[in-house]
Structure formats: structure tokens, C-alpha cells
């Protein structure tokens, strides 16, 4: 695979259309709503307010309040309404204002949406999309900064995605809408304003496919969402010292793209997994365990390293907050130790 | 339909055709015999897990479904066999489900607690108390957005009325004026906890005012009273005027589930309610109003017995799922 | 306390000693000046994250806390600065928290959305809408079980009243007759969503009937009206008669948070409410009833300014947490 | 460590007092309530009904309805009341009737109980105990059979335990009550009627300590709760063929006892982790990853195997249900392959 073919950022030049991550998501919603009258958007303050992160800005003007519905502050009820509507002919895109608030709706997401097809023996389908603004770095402290995607990776019946670029943010949302099963998309709040090339029109980013964003032979770094960008920056720095990291954009937490990861690890013999959630029982645990139980185990030249969040709620103080999740420096240092087998 | 101003007969007798009433009696017998059959099969080890029998509550289930077509939806709860049959399900496929067979409504994956029949509009029982309420509101939203006149009837128990899901669902349904009827089957207990100990108000219907919707409490063992309450609520829903809450006072004769020792209620109480059997009462009403005679009623009751017997045979003869298909139906097949 | 049957003055004037009333005015100024100071510090980059200012709602916070001792508890919400100061917190430690310092009430770990002062009975603001309601009920349960006469005042917004937590909490509190007062600060909006669009009833207090508890709606900018409503509710709670719901109608002058563009309301509306400033009104009332004169009121206002200035200095001079202590306070120290 | 010192079952002889797992838990509750008037028990139908699994049987007669409180069916409210009471002087033991229903209370468990001490900078304490009847095997299907303990392992601020024996069930509950922080105890429904030796009086099973239940040199099996028993039975069968498995009772999911596990892996060079939750993102992922990133990595002679539940909700049909989670046969087969390095 080729680095150039998988850019994460684009210059504002020529034929390349540059949008922000938030704009790309909005464009996906608008395209889907134009093409399919059963698509509706629901959530708290997604109408005139435009959503807490302005992602749904102007959709209400374009599609009206019958299709862009402000819900009361009722996450369990709202998500359940989306589930029921999906079960009976609509395709709701449900925005949790912050992914943290999905904790109020675990019942409907996990006991209902994820299981209904199975419990009904395949006789029903729940094509709902949950949008999950996620992550730390905004000074919003412990209840507004979590990265809980690993929980949903543990739930059969769900698909769980994590776009790192505007292009993927759009393509994944369209793919999620095309999917007959419930899909959760973890969007990183700090990425909403990041910009990049976004193709025109409708296209689907394949669900369950990771992507080699940078190739290298010395070690493999698997990272998704904002951690991809930090990992790429760390890889850039390492390259100066002749350490060549292969950086894989995880993209899909459920299902995981075993092949892309294992192929890389067989080549490099070293694996570092970087994720923003709490380290213990996080996304990286599954990636590590998946590799450790595979035939790629025999290619491993070093322990599998994980970098995740500190074992604490996200703190308010900005320096503590920064220290609590992986940053370019810590990724660089870990990768360096791993490359030199100092672990 | 007879003119209610001159016709003194109960609503149901006036309002429904004799054939419909006879079919309703049939389905009430079918519910009773189905559940007795399930109980018996459980004792014989043909059903595993647990079951929540609605014996004694058949009037509420059947009368609530009188005016629903297959396009109308219901959501049900753990005590859902009656709703399923009332909405039109086949008892053979229900037994097959209880026996864990591939021919069951849920292909053996769901069992009693998830019994559903999507084709007749039953979106499923639910193992989670209150789990069906927001789903019902969602179904009503879909009907409204898709420009259909379908309604959704949402069954739940008195216990469920203390779940947050109840509150959020009724509020959303009211604010958005959705065509959903919330039917609370108040059988006096959530498991062992009486409504007096669990619920701050005496009647669940008193909570309707908190959602600016009509709320009414009726004798849930009085077929006519229930069907009339539903008739009004459904008409309101189909007219786009929004949701209603109907509370059917009833009683379950059996324990909460197979493991209940009935330590929280008295034998006297149970017996006093058994004397108010909704099936016997409905049958007597039909006979009193000349809809059928004793012999015809017996024939209907016998049909139900035969259907249940046939259903059990069908279920027994059906194949179980393949062990290799544990993960089938988790996701849509490509 | 004067005899209410012969004394025509407002409840608060009759009921509280002049010193208490002056202290209340002081704290209301303190809230206003504190939030303005926080806003200013935010603009200067000394506070990060977001903040929810209660400017315009000071009357509700202060009047609701008039009869609480440090042993009484409050739970607060995201718009919690006023509650914290009204309950007796020190603005220096609050600023220190907002500046992320180790001397802050939460040692820099919590910030505005989690501001708390356990010593004065403030169990904390809450980032989760409705999150504090069951916690308040739990605190009331603890007081009852421990044989104390302490009450808990639970602050929340109109938006929170549509959360399931509201329903479950009010029901449990009522069934168990717990000493908790639910104070809904209805400022007309949950973020951008008006109560008319979110809530099926006009007044949140109408929902009290669904929990068989008293419910009352008062002008939340009328200090006396609020304190009277709370006086009644607290007396009821201390007497073991159970919970109450008090709805204070008020308004937030600022946007929902730092990122609000006010697209959902008009300038006129905001200005009409600014004309109903609860502080100016309370001050005028105190002067009218001879509790203080203009000069004394100005002196009080100046004290608040000085306190805020001193608070900011304290916070600035305080040390930040050590980076190595990210995981400190996750678990009890051995 | 010695096998004989860590028995999981006991004969009904002599000075050994034999209780069921449910009785042991009840005894712990009764002892705590006698000793400490601030201990209360809350939950649905835990009074006259005695709890869905009869664990609280007769407590209401002994301690009265003020201390043994039937809650309305309101998991979020009930759990939150327990949190608030714990914050202000009581020590509530809150029973979720089935651990699945905790999904309705994730907000109070994860956003409040787990984080309050931290968000308040150490100025508050939430000594609440959540009892979580868990697991499959009862024919109760997808919404009453889950094993979601891994989720809580991901949450700093919580402690998460999993007793496999009556002795531990009692000792862990007493330890949880003695702990100033929130503790969740995952009790397996199929274990309630299992019997074993239970010491008299009050004693604390240390939180965070795994236990070698059987020693062996050929491979390490880490398993907790009911899977411990299946693993021990598998080990018994393997021993017949000269394969000696060391079987470790995990006991504590958070914190994990790294030392006990790593010591064993350094000795055996092979690791199999067995757990009942869904395999992906489950408890075994963390154990595997923890070993793979440690110095024990260099001692590994084979990939780290995991056996968890099938990637499906728990099915109703009893044969499917059995096939969906690890059983003695599947554990035996996996261990055999691992021992022979056929992986
Ligand atoms: C969320 C949730 N909590 C608890 C239970 C356990 N449970 C199953 S049915 C039931 C009682 C429900 O009472 P009610 O709603 O009145 O229905 P009924 O059984 O009386 O028909 C309980 C507590 C559950 N299944 N789901
Ligand atoms: C569970 C949850 N849902 C949504 C939010 C986002 N949010 C924070 S405050 C708020 C509005 C709350 O409105 P209200 O309760 O009326 O309080 P107000 O802000 O008006 O004081 C919203 C939607 C949240 N913090 N928690
Ligand atoms: Mg009931
Ligand atoms: Mg408000």
C-alpha cells in the first residue's frame, strides 16, 4: 500500500475540495436526506442551535423540523424512539450530544438495537446510526470527555466506527446509513474543525477496513481517530532518526480488520497500539490480544505495547488533561523504545 | 354499528360484528389454553428457562387489539403471550419458539421473553421492563412520518410505570402528538412489589396529566370496557390528536414467573380474582346478548384446545437450529 | 418572627432577621460578581473548557438556601455557581478550582461543572443533566436512616425534568417519604429547546401530582416568594411528611454556555427579563422595608467586588496540581 | 503455592462448615448489617420475595424493611439513591436483579459513583457495593444472560470482583463493604447453589489478588467465576494425559493481579484465558495484552489463546446457549492444542 494514496490532510489547491470533518459529516447527512426520505436526524439541540458542535448547522432550514428533530433531554427515550422508528421503516441518525450521555441509553443501544435482529431470529432489522461526539481535550472534565468505544466493541450486533479524516467521516456515515444494522460512529470533538479533501457526491467507506496511512518496516503503530494524527506526527519525527513506522488507521473497532493489522505485524515484528480510552480493557487490549493469538505471534520481536489513557477520569486542569492521554511525545518515546527493543 | 344513544347494550356488543366477537372469544380461549399448554410443556422439560404467564389477563390483551390491523403495531413485555396471540400469531410457531425450534417465530433464538410476530405487527415481547415503551413511540413516529394512519399499542405493566423509560416515552409521544396508545396492564404487582409500595399514585392513569394526555382506568377483565377505551384512544391517535394512556386493572393468577412462591399475596386475594375470570365473563356476555349459545361457545373452546394440541405437535416435530448457526442472525446476511 | 396574620410585609422580610437578609443580598451580589469575574477570566484565557453562567437567576439560588444549615445538603447542576455560593462556599477556592489549581474545591480535577463544597453541604454540581436527582434522594434517605433532621435541596433545570432520572427520583422520594425538596429552576429553555417544545405540560410543578407531592410554581426572581415556598417545603420535609416540588420561574441572561449564539430566542425577550433583575428587586425590597439604606446596599455590593478580586488573586497565586498526580484521588489513599 | 490450600469444593465433613454461594453472600450481608448500622440492602424484590435468586432470603425478617428496601423498578433511580446515600453516610449494598439491568444505571455507576471522588478532588467517598447476578446457562436468553464485567474493568474509580467459591463470595462482599470506594461484585447465577467451605465470622478476601487454584508447569489457564470450575475440570482431564495446567482464579477484574499471572506465565510459557463474556473486547483481551506487554512476553512459547463467548447475543435454545460459551470440552481442547503448540 502506498502512503500517497491515503493522505490524511490536503492542501487547499486545485481540484481538491477541502471541507472540515464537521462539514463532511453534515454533507453526508444532507446527501442521504435528499436521496432517501426515510432518513431523519434526531438529537438534542440539533435544530436551530445546530448541535453542540455545530455539525447539524442549517439542516433544519434545508429539511424542516419534521426531519431534523430536537428531542427533549431524554437520551433513553430518544435513542429508543430512534430504535423503534428504525424497526418500522425510518433510518434515523441519532446524535448523542456527547458520547458520555449514551450511558443513559445503554439499554436501548445494547439490549434492544444490537440484539433485536438476533432475538427475533432475523425477522427484524434496526438500521439506526448513532453519532457519538467523543474524546478529551476540551476542558470539559470527567463527564464530557470520555472515550467509551471499547464497550461497544464488546457488543455483537453493533458496528463501531471511528473516522480520522473528513473523507472517512463522510464515507462512514453514508456507509452506516446503507447498512441494515445499527452502527455507532465515534467522532472526535477535536477533529470537527480539521480539514481535508472530501470527494463530491455519495461514496461509501467500507465498514471493517483499516488503512495503512504510512508504510514502514520497523514497527507497526495502530491508532484511530485523533490518535492517528498524533501517531503520524510521531512517525514523522522517528523517520528523522531512521526509524520507519508503519501507521495503520484502525477506522473500524467492530468488526476489526484482522488482515491489515496482521499483515503489517508479520512484516515489522513490532506493534504499538495507541488509543484515547482508558488503557485497561480498552481498544488496544483487543488489538493486542488479537495479534498475540494469531500466527503473527511468531513474527513478534518484542512485547506488544499499548498507550492509552491514564487510569483516572479525565481531569479538568488542562495540563493534567493533556498528560492523561497519549500525545505525540509519548507516542514517539514509546515507539522509539519499542523499535530499539528497550522494552 | 348500532346507534349508541338508543342501544343500551355494552359497547363491544354494539360495536363489533358477531363474527368478530366470536373470534375474540376464540382467541381468549386460545391464550388460556396456550399458556396452560406451555406450563405443562415446561413441567415436562420441553421448555427451559422461565415464563411469565398472563392467565387471568386475557381480556385486556384481546380487547386492546380488537381494532388493530396487521399494519398497526404492538410492543409487548415479558408477559407477552396473550398480546402475541391477540394480535394474530399462530400458536404452532409460538410453541416452536418455546421449544427452541428453527420454525419458531424467532428461530429458537428468542424464546418466551422475546416472542414476536413481525408480520402481524407484533414488534416483540421484551425482557427489559419498560424496554418496549420508547420503541413503541418510535414506531408511531415512523407511521406518522411515512404518512400512514397506523397506530401502535404499547403494552406494559404497573411495575414498568416507575421506569424512566415510561416518563421519557410518554412525554415525547405527547410533545410530538404521536399515534401511540399506552396500555398499562395493572395487575397490582411488579413481581412481589405492590403498586402501593412502588408507585406514588393510586392509579397509573393519574400520571397521564403529567403528559397532557387523556388517561383512563378501566376494569381490565371487562372486555367491553377495555375495547371501548381503546376505541376512543385509537380514534384519537388515527385522527392525529396524539397519545393516550389506558390502564386495565387485572390480575395474574399464576406467580410472577416459574420461580415465584407467592409470599407477597394471599390465597384469598388470588381466589377472589379467579372468580372474576375475564373469559367466563365475556362468554356469558356474548351468550346473554345472543351472539352465540352455550353449545357454540363450547365448540369455540374445543377449537382452541385442538389448535393448541396441533401447535404442540407441530413444535415437537420441528427441527432445532444447527449448532453451527449460533452466530446466524446477529447481522444481516450479505 | 412577626405574626403573619397582622404583618403585611412580604414573607422574607417578616421571617428573616435583617442580618440574614443583608447577608443574602451580599451573597447574591457575590454570585453576580463571581460569574462576571469568571467570564472575564475566561476571556483572558485563565479558565478553559466551558461554563454555564446563572446571571439573572441569583434570586432562586439564594432564596432556596435561606433555611439550610451546613448539615443540610444540596445537589446542584451544570449551572451551579450560584448554588455553591448561596450554600456558603468561598469564592477564592471556587476561582482556584476554575483556574485548575490544587487549592480549588476539587483540587483542579473538577472545574466549573463539578464545583462542590462538601463541608458546607454542597454535594456538587453535575455535568449530567438529571444526574443529581437520585443522588439527592439518596442523601435524604441517609439523613432519615441516620435519624437526622437534615434535608436535601435538589436543584435542576426545566430541561432535566424530561429525564427518566426525574421521574424515578420523585417517585422513590414520595413512596419513601424522604426529606428532599426538588427545586426546578425553569429558565424557559434547556439549551436551545424551549419548555413548550420539550415538555408536555406548561408548568413543571404540574408533574408533582404524578408523585402525590405538593407542587408549586413561583416567580423565581421574587426572593420572598421563593424563600416562602422553600420554607413550607423544608418544614414539611423536616416533619417527615416527604418531598415537595418547587418550580422557580427565572431566566438566564447569558447564553447556555460559552458557545451559544442565542439563535433560539430574541433580544427583546432577553431584555425584558433583564428588566426583572432579581438582585435589583431584592435590594429595592430591603430598602423599601427599611432593612438597609442605599449607602449600606452599595457597601455590600462593594464588598462583593472586593471579595471577588481577592478570590481571583488567591486563585492566581495558587499552585497547579503536579503532573505526576493525574491518578491521585481516583481511589482512597491507603 | 499449594493446590490443597486453595480448594474450590469441600466435602461435608468434620469441622468444615459448608454453605452455598448464595448462603455465603447472605451471611456476609447479615454479619455486616449486625456489625454496622449504616449498612443497608436495596434492590428489586429483595424483601419478602428474597430476591430473584433468593440471595436475600429472610434478611427482611431479621433487619426489617427500613434496612432491606424493595425499590420500585427504577434501576437508574435506585442505583443513584444508593450512590447518594453512600456519599452521605450509609453503606448500601445494591442488588441489580440481573446484571443486564445495570445498563439502565450506567450513568450513576460510571459517571457518578466511579468518578465522584476524583471530580471532587478526594473530598468525597462513595462506599457503595453493587451486586451483579450474571452469566448464561439459565435459558433466559439475550437480555438476562450477559457477562458485561469487562465494561467496568474499563472504568477507573471502580473495583470489580468475581467470586468463584462460597468462601470468596462471602469474603469479597465483606471486603467490598470495608472498602471506601465503589465495588461491583459479579456473582454467577449458576454458582448460587454450589456449595463449599465457608469460614465463620468476618474475614476479608483481599481485593485485587488472584489465586493459583491448581499448580502445573505446562501451561497457565486464567479463569474466573464459573469458568474457573470448568477450567479445573479440564485441567483434571488433561492431567490424565500428563499435561499439567496451572489454573489461576482471576477473582479481581479491576485491579488485576499482574504479579500472580506473570509469575505463572514465566514458569509455563503458555497462556490460555477463559471467560464467559463475548470474546472480543472481553476480560481475556486485557489479560492477554497485559502479559504481551510485560517482561513475561519473552517467556512465551506460544500464542496467547482466549476462549470467550461466541460473537452473538446469548441464544434461547439450550443447545445453542451451551455452545455459545466455553465449556469443559472446549477448554480442554484449547488447552491441549496450546500445550502441544498446535496453534
Ligand atoms: C429493567 C428490568 N428490571 C427488572 C426486571 C425484572 N422483572 C421482570 S418482570 C418484573 C416485574 C414487572 O412488573 P409489571 O411491569 O407490573 O409487569 P407484570 O409482571 O406484573 O406483568 C421485574 C421486576 C426486568 N426484566 N427488567
Ligand atoms: C444527560 C445529559 N444530556 C445532555 C446534556 C447537555 N446539556 C447540558 S445542560 C443542557 C440543558 C439543560 O437544561 P436545563 O435543565 O433547563 O438547565 P439550564 O441549562 O437551563 O439551566 C444540556 C442539553 C448533559 N450535560 N447531560
Ligand atoms: Mg404488574
Ligand atoms: Mg433551563
Amino acid at each position: 500500500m502506498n502512503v500517497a494514496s491515503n493522505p490524511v490532510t490536503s492542501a487547499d489547491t486545485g481540484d481538491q475540495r477541502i471541507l472540515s470533518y464537521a462539514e463532511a459529516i453534515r454533507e453526508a447527512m444532507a446527501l442521504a436526506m435528499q436521496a432517501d426520505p426515510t432518513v431523519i436526524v434526531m438529537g438534542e439541540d440539533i435544530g436551530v442551535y445546530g448541535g453542540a458542535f455545530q455539525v447539524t448547522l442549517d439542516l433544519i432550514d434545508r429539511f424542516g423540523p419534521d426531519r431534523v428533530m430536537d428531542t427533549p433531554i431524554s437520551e433513553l427515550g430518544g435513542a429508543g424512539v430512534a430504535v423503534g422508528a428504525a424497526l418500522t421503516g425510518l433510518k434515523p441518525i441519532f446524535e448523542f450530544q456527547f458520547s458520555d450521555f449514551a450511558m443513559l441509553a445503554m439499554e436501548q443501544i445494547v439490549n434492544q438495537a444490537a440484539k433485536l435482529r438476533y432475538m427475533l431470529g432475523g425477522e427484524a432489522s434496526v438500521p439506526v446510526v448513532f453519532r457519538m461526539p467523543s474524546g478529551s481535550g476540551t476542558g470539559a472534565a470527567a463527564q464530557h470527555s470520555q472515550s467509551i468505544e471499547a464497550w461497544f466493541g464488546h457488543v455483537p450486533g453493533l458496528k463501531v466506527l471511528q473516522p480520522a479524516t473528513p473523507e472517512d467521516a463522510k464515507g462512514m456515515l453514508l456507509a452506516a446509513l446503507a447498512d441494515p444494522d445499527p452502527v455507532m460512529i465515534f467522532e472526535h470533538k477535536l477533529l470537527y474543525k480539521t480539514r481535508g479533501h472530501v470527494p463530491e457526491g455519495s461514496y461509501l467507506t467500507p465498514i471493517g477496513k483499516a488503512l495503512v496511512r504510512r508504510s514502514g518496516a520497523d514497527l507497526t503503530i495502530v491508532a484511530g481517530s485523533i490518535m492517528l494524527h498524533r501517531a503520524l506526527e510521531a512517525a514523522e519525527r522517528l523517520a528523522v532518526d531512521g526509524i520507519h513506522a508503519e501507521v495503520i488507521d484502525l477506522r473500524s473497532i467492530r468488526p476489526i480488520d484482522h488482515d491489515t493489522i496482521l499483515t503489517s505485524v508479520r512484516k515489522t515484528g513490532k506493534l504499538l497500539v495507541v488509543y484515547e480510552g482508558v488503557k485497561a480493557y480498552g481498544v488496544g487490549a483487543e488489538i493486542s490480544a488479537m495479534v498475540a493469538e494469531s500466527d503473527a505471534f511468531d513474527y513478534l520481536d518484542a512485547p506488544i505495547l499499548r498507550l492509552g489513557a491514564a487510569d483516572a477520569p479525565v481531569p479538568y486542569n488542562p495540563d493534567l488533561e493533556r498528560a492523561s492521554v497519549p500525545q505525540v511525545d509519548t507516542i514517539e518515546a514509546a515507539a522509539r523504545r519499542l523499535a530499539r527493543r528497550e522494552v | 354499528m348500532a346507534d349508541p344513544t338508543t342501544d343500551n347494550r355494552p359497547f363491544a356488543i354494539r360495536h363489533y360484528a358477531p363474527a368478530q366477537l366470536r373470534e375474540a372469544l376464540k382467541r381468549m380461549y386460545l391464550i388460556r389454553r396456550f399458556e396452560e399448554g406451555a406450563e405443562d410443556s415446561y413441567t415436562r422439560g420441553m421448555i427451559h428457562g422461565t415464563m411469565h404467564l398472563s392467565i387471568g389477563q386475557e381480556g385486556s390483551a384481546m380487547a386492546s387489539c380488537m381494532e388493530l390491523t396487521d399494519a398497526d403495531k404492538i410492543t409487548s413485555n415479558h408477559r407477552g403471550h396473550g398480546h402475541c396471540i391477540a394480535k394474530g400469531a399462530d400458536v404452532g410457531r409460538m410453541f416452536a419458539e418455546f421449544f427452541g425450534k428453527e420454525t419458531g417465530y424467532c428461530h429458537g433464538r428468542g424464546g418466551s421473553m422475546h416472542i414476536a410476530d413481525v408480520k402481524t405487527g407484533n414488534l416483540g415481547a421484551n425482557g427489559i421492563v419498560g424496554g418496549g415503551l420508547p420503541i413503541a413511540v418510535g414506531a408511531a413516529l415512523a407511521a406518522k412520518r411515512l404518512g400512514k394512519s397506523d397506530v401502535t399499542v404499547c403494552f406494559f405493566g404497573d411495575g414498568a410505570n416507575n421506569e424512566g423509560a415510561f416518563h421519557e416515552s410518554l412525554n415525547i409521544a405527547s410533545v410530538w402528538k404521536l399515534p401511540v396508545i399506552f396500555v398499562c396492564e395493572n395487575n397490582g404487582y411488579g413481581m412481589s412489589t405492590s403498586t402501593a409500595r412502588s408507585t406514588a399514585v393510586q392509579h397509573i392513569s393519574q400520571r397521564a396529566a403529567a403528559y397532557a394526555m387523556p388517561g383512563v382506568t378501566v376494569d381490565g377483565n371487562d372486555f367491553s370496557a377495555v375495547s371501548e377505551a381503546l376505541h376512543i384512544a385509537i380514534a384519537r391517535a388515527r385522527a392525529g390528536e396524539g397519545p393516550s394512556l389506558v390502564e386495565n386493572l387485572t390480575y395474574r393468577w399464576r406467580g410472577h414467573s416459574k420461580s415465584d412462591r407467592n409470599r407477597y399475596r394471599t390465597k384469598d386475594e388470588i381466589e377472589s380474582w379467579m372468580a372474576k375470570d375475564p373469559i367466563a365473563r365475556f362468554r356469558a356476555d356474548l351468550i346473554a346478548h345472543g351472539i352465540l349459545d352455550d353449545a357454540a361457545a363450547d365448540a369455540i373452546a374445543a377449537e382452541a384446545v385442538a389448535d393448541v394440541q396441533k401447535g404442540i405437535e407441530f413444535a415437537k416435530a420441528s427441527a432445532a437450529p444447527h449448532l453451527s448457526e449460533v452466530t446466524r442472525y446477529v447481522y444481516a446476511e450479505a
Side-chain angles (χ1 to χ4, degrees), chain A residues 107, chain B residues 52 57 77-79 113 126-130 156-161 163 185-191 252 256:
Chain A
E107 200 296 276
Chain B
H52 306 89
Q57 306 188 176
N77 65 352
H78 58 284
R79 202 171 303 288
M113 235 180 321
N126 212 308
I128 302 298
V129 168
F156 60 99
D158 50 288
N161 108 93
E163 286 282 8
E185 301 189 306
N186 184 347
N187 57 13
Y189 297 90
M191 212 156 148
R252 62 168 158 73
H256 165 72

Side-chain angles (χ1 to χ4, degrees), chain A residues 133-272:
Chain A
S134 205
S136 66
T138 65
Q143 295 172 331
H144 282 72
S145 306
Q146 293 169 84
S147 297
I148 55 172
E149 49 276 0
W151 282 357
F152 302 98
H154 195 41
V155 180
L158 299 177
K159 294 175 180 172
V160 184
L161 309 178
Q162 195 187 27
T165 66
E167 176 171 354
D168 276 3
K170 176 177 169 187
M172 284 185 190
L173 185 46
L174 290 169
L177 282 165
D179 197 285
D181 290 311
V183 180
M184 309 188 77
I185 306 186
F186 284 82
E187 302 164 0
H188 202 290
K189 285 167 261 171
L190 294 185
L191 291 179
Y192 281 129
K193 293 187 176 161
T194 61
R195 301 172 66 74
H197 171 60
V198 176
E200 307 258 8
S202 199
Y203 62 92
L204 310 186
T205 300
I207 293 175
K209 292 279 166 243
L211 197 57
V212 176
R213 293 280 186 182
R214 175 187 183 109
S215 56
D218 296 335
L219 78 157
T220 299
I221 305 180
V222 174
S225 189
I226 198 166
M227 291 299 155
L228 172 70
H229 301 277
R230 296 190 187 155
L232 284 169
E233 200 177 324
E236 203 65 51
R237 295 192 195 166
L238 293 166
V240 174
D241 297 331
I243 299 172
H244 298 289
E246 180 143 304
V247 180
I248 295 178
D249 181 357
L250 182 60
R251 290 163 116 210
S252 179
I253 286 168
R254 167 171 277 272
I256 293 181
D257 182 352
H258 293 215
D259 285 354
T260 299
I261 296 169
L262 295 182
T263 301
S264 178
V265 172
R266 278 189 216 103
K267 178 172 80 174
T268 64
K270 298 196 174 97
L271 175 61
L272 168 65

Side-chain angles (χ1 to χ4, degrees), chain B residues 48-49 97-98 100 108-109 113-114 127 162-163 192-193 197 263:
Chain B
H48 84 145
E97 186 56 36
F98 288 27
R109 269 69 171 181
M113 235 180 321
H114 305 293
N162 295 315
E163 286 282 8
S192 70
T193 310
R197 292 201 299 125
R263 273 185 288 222

Side-chain angles (χ1 to χ4, degrees), chain A residues 76 100-101 103-107 110-112 114-115 118-119 142-143 146-157 250 252-254 256 275 277-290 292-295 297-298 300-306 310-316 320 341 343:
Chain A
L76 178 63
D100 312 67
F101 310 155
M103 282 186 216
L104 284 157
M106 293 301 283
E107 200 296 276
V110 177
N111 281 331
Q112 312 294 344
K115 294 181 173 56
Y118 192 79
M119 294 188 302
Q143 295 172 331
Q146 293 169 84
S147 297
I148 55 172
E149 49 276 0
W151 282 357
F152 302 98
H154 195 41
V155 180
L250 182 60
S252 179
I253 286 168
R254 167 171 277 272
I256 293 181
Y275 51 111
V278 167
K279 183 181 171 190
Y281 298 94
V283 168
E286 179 59 28
I287 309 290
S288 169
M290 184 269 287
E293 77 189 343
S294 75
D295 70 336
F297 170 82
D298 287 320
L300 285 173
D301 295 327
I304 301 171
L305 292 198
R306 292 179 293 160
D311 210 51
V314 175
Y316 165 69
L320 287 184
R341 194 33 174 119
V343 284

